Amino acid sequence: QVQLVESGGGLVQAGGSLRLSCAASGRTSSTYSMGWFRQAPGKEREFVAGISRSGFSTHYADSVKGRFTISRDNAKNTVYLQMNSLKPEDTAVYYCAQSELSLVTVAPASYTYWGPGTQVTVSS
C-alpha cells in the first residue's frame, strides 16, 4: 500500500508562486511515474503535470506549460510542483498520484494511488 500526502497549498495573489510537495510512504514510489492533477468546483479532474520514474521525462498540460515545473527526489520519496505566474483559473484542489507505470501517463485511470488533495486559491 502507498500513502500520498500533499502540502504547500494556500491562498496567493495572481502572479504569485506556490510550491506543492507530495510525500509518499509505504511501498517504494521511486519505481513509478508520478503526476499532479487538479479539480475545480463543477469541473472534472484534469491532468496538470507528470514525471517519469527516472525524472528525465516530464509532460505538462498546455494550460500550465512554461509556468509550472514538476520534479522529484527519489531519495526522499517526494514529488514537487513549482507553480509560478499563477492565475485565478489555476484555483482548484491539487492531487498527487502514483501510477504503476514507469513512463508518464496523463489518464487518471492509469494512476493507482491518490493523495487527499491540497487547496490552491489564486485571487485576482
Side-chain angles (χ1 to χ4, degrees), residues 32-99:
Y32 309 107
S33 63
M34 302 290 292
W36 286 97
F37 290 76
R38 67 186 181 186
Q39 188 167 18
K43 295 188 177 181
E44 293 187 354
R45 190 170 298 189
E46 64 173 355
F47 173 82
V48 175
I51 188 165
S52 64
R53 175 185 63 185
S54 67
F56 290 128
S57 178
T58 58
H59 184 69
Y60 299 91
D62 287 343
S63 58
V64 307
K65 202 170 293 183
R67 300 187 298 123
F68 291 10
T69 302
I70 188 171
S71 61
R72 68 189 297 166
D73 184 338
N74 287 340
K76 296 182 179 179
N77 282 339
T78 302
V79 178
Y80 305 97
L81 185 68
Q82 178 67 43
M83 306 186 295
N84 299 329
S85 302
L86 282 162
K87 305 175 181 180
E89 50 263 43
D90 294 319
T91 295
V93 177
Y94 282 71
Y95 299 91
C96 170
Q98 178 180 306
S99 167

Side-chain angles (χ1 to χ4, degrees), residues 4 27 32-35 37 45 47 51 96-114:
L4 303 174
R27 190 172 61 176
Y32 309 107
S33 63
M34 302 290 292
F37 290 76
R45 190 170 298 189
F47 173 82
I51 188 165
C96 170
Q98 178 180 306
S99 167
E100 295 196 337
L101 304 174
S102 60
L103 301 178
V104 178
T105 177
V106 303
S110 299
Y111 290 81
T112 304
Y113 301 102
W114 294 80

